[in-house]
Amino acid sequence: NQIFHSNLIRSLSQNNEVTVFSSRKDRKEEHPSSSKKTGNITWQYLATKKSGLKNIKAQRKEVSSFTKYNDVCFVDTTSFRCLLNARRYCKIKKIPLIGIVTDNPKNITNQKRIVSKIIFSLAKKCNAFVCLTDSLNKLFNKKKKKPYTILKGINKGRVSGSKPVDFPYFFYAGTLLKKYGVYDLIEAFKVIKSKNVRLLISGHHKEEGFEEYIKDYPNVVFLGNLDNNEILNYENFSIANINPRPFMEDLDEYSVPSKVIEYSSKNSIVISGVSTPLREEFRASIVWFDNKHSLASRIYDVYKTGRITRSAMIKDMNAICEKKFSINAVSKKMDRFLTTIFK
């Protein structure tokens, strides 16, 4: 979600001035407002008060002072506080409010039912929507009566660098919780018998005993929690980048694996659990699996695939990424969408 918003900001800033309002999570101490400008983006860090009510009122007033005629406001619909404040000042300033819909509130971990109901109620006041999937648009934009665009993901491109290790490897970086498939991935990698080929894993939220668990798998290496540029560099030199998250029918229509979008610009094959929204886009240029058993066979198939076939798949995948998900492609798509708001 955070990566999607960050990349959307970059896309919008290609041809527009963008002000990003952000509030600090830590309210133990009061902080004055501050700002930093980078290119067309002004990062505005709002002042914080210790009192929750005073904080909301002060931030609403500060945000309103930046809003000009002909501006448009984008708001994250997963936050009812953001929705509440954005709706109020957009009404005062008479500017359009566009909801960015990246998840079904009912699917958010530890989200209370009453909060989900508030979000749906507040989102009704949005004038338009940017949605991750068509199903999310149907959920928030009943009968598609309001302007909308479907944006399944944004890829910010490759980073330059040199190969980080001197042996061939498969790569995964992400959440290390069992339910997201990392343990299935480690088990599936046993199909690779060569000791020279390794599975490199980087990530966060690892469960207790994870590092002890992988000791039984000598060709699996845990790299710790790498920084973003290191991760992108590892992705660009692997045999394949893997999204081990299994297919979940109840989540498939409302979510898109952002890792697959991230991987799609790299010079490596992508192996991923089935995602209906992304399989419609990438088709056979990505290697899809249905369960942990087919994951093992897909890893083996990729390992045995010849260089020419591999290169052709990567070329097709990169071309689709550039055409539909690159910063430039999304920038043009959003500019066209904004003209529908202001016409």
Side-chain angles (χ1 to χ4, degrees):
N1 186 38
Q2 186 177 356
I3 293 172
F4 181 89
H5 284 275
S6 176
N7 289 339
L8 180 58
I9 289 164
R10 288 187 59 191
S11 299
L12 289 167
S13 71
Q14 296 296 296
N15 299 312
N16 305 280
E17 288 285 340
V18 178
T19 300
V20 182
F21 296 100
S22 178
S23 59
R24 298 173 178 86
K25 292 183 178 180
D26 180 19
R27 289 209 304 268
K28 293 179 181 179
E29 296 183 10
E30 294 190 357
H31 299 276
S33 62
S34 62
S35 64
K36 180 178 70 173
K37 188 170 176 62
T38 307
N40 284 342
I41 305 172
T42 299
W43 303 91
Q44 187 65 35
Y45 301 97
L46 302 175
T48 54
K49 308 287 184 183
K50 289 184 180 180
S51 165
L53 184 59
K54 288 182 178 179
N55 197 57
I56 290 172
K57 289 181 177 179
Q59 292 186 354
R60 190 188 313 152
K61 183 178 179 181
E62 187 176 348
V63 170
S64 298
S65 69
F66 282 88
T67 308
K68 305 170 185 175
Y69 184 74
N70 269 351
D71 277 354
V72 60
C73 173
F74 289 85
V75 63
D76 180 2
T77 58
T78 62
S79 169
F80 84 89
R81 289 185 179 87
C82 286
L83 267 169
L84 183 65
N85 291 329
R87 191 186 75 163
R88 283 174 177 169
Y89 81 74
C90 282
K91 183 177 180 180
I92 294 170
K93 293 291 183 177
K94 297 181 180 179
I95 62 172
L97 178 61
I98 301 177
I100 303 172
V101 186
T102 56
D103 206 348
N104 180 347
K106 294 179 181 179
N107 291 339
I108 298 174
T109 305
N110 299 324
Q111 181 92 285
K112 294 181 179 179
R113 183 178 296 181
I114 185 63
V115 175
S116 297
K117 288 184 176 181
I118 292 172
I119 285 174
F120 283 123
S121 178
L122 291 172
K124 290 178 181 178
K125 298 299 181 180
C126 289
N127 303 100
F129 294 95
V130 176
C131 299
L132 203 61
T133 68
D134 193 56
S135 292
L136 284 173
N137 184 50
K138 292 175 183 176
L139 191 65
F140 278 80
N141 188 12
K142 303 298 183 183
K143 298 181 180 179
K144 300 182 179 179
K145 289 184 177 180
K146 297 177 180 180
Y148 69 92
T149 188
I150 305 300
L151 192 54
K152 298 179 182 179
I154 311 168
N155 183 291
K156 65 179 182 180
R158 299 182 189 178
V159 297
S160 59
S162 55
K163 189 174 181 180
V165 292
D166 60 0
F167 51 82
Y169 62 91
F170 289 69
F171 186 70
Y172 167 68
T175 304
L176 302 178
L177 298 177
K178 186 173 183 178
K179 66 179 181 179
Y180 294 124
V182 65
Y183 287 83
D184 289 341
L185 169 59
I186 292 168
E187 181 67 21
F189 199 72
K190 289 195 300 186
V191 298
I192 305 298
K193 303 302 182 183
S194 171
K195 294 181 180 180
N196 294 325
V197 182
R198 298 174 196 176
L199 171 63
L200 304 185
I201 295 175
S202 169
H204 50 85
H205 293 114
K206 66 177 184 290
E207 294 171 340
E208 186 176 351
F210 174 78
E211 292 183 63
E212 191 67 28
Y213 172 79
I214 65 172
K215 287 180 180 179
D216 293 332
Y217 300 84
N219 59 343
V220 176
V221 180
F222 178 52
L223 302 172
N225 196 5
L226 301 174
D227 68 38
N228 193 52
N229 284 336
E230 288 176 312
I231 289 171
L232 295 176
N233 194 48
Y234 271 96
E235 289 172 357
N236 204 39
F237 292 95
S238 66
I239 295 172
N241 296 311
I242 303 175
N243 167 42
R245 186 168 182 167
F247 174 77
M248 300 179 188
E249 188 174 359
D250 56 331
L251 297 180
D252 185 57
E253 60 180 338
Y254 296 126
S255 64
V256 172
S258 60
K259 273 293 171 186
V260 175
I261 299 292
E262 180 181 307
Y263 291 157
S264 65
S265 65
K266 307 306 183 293
N267 194 34
S268 305
I269 289 287
V270 174
I271 302 173
S272 174
V274 170
S275 164
T276 301
L278 290 187
R279 188 161 60 176
E280 291 171 354
E281 304 289 349
F282 288 100
R283 303 179 299 278
S285 68
I286 283 178
V287 179
W288 307 100
F289 69 87
D290 296 305
N291 52 54
K292 62 182 180 181
H293 304 294
S294 59
L295 171 58
S297 62
R298 298 298 181 272
I299 290 173
Y300 183 79
D301 290 345
V302 168
Y303 176 60
K304 290 295 185 179
T305 298
R307 186 180 299 274
I308 294 175
T309 302
R310 225 186 271 173
S311 296
M313 289 178 65
I314 293 168
K315 184 178 179 180
D316 288 347
M317 177 183 67
N318 290 166
I320 294 168
C321 174
E322 180 63 29
K323 182 179 179 181
K324 297 187 176 183
F325 301 106
S326 66
I327 293 290
N328 286 337
V330 172
S331 174
K332 292 174 182 176
K333 181 174 183 174
M334 291 306 298
D335 283 349
R336 291 193 298 268
F337 175 60
L338 287 173
T339 61
T340 68
I341 308 299
F342 288 110
K343 68 179 181 180

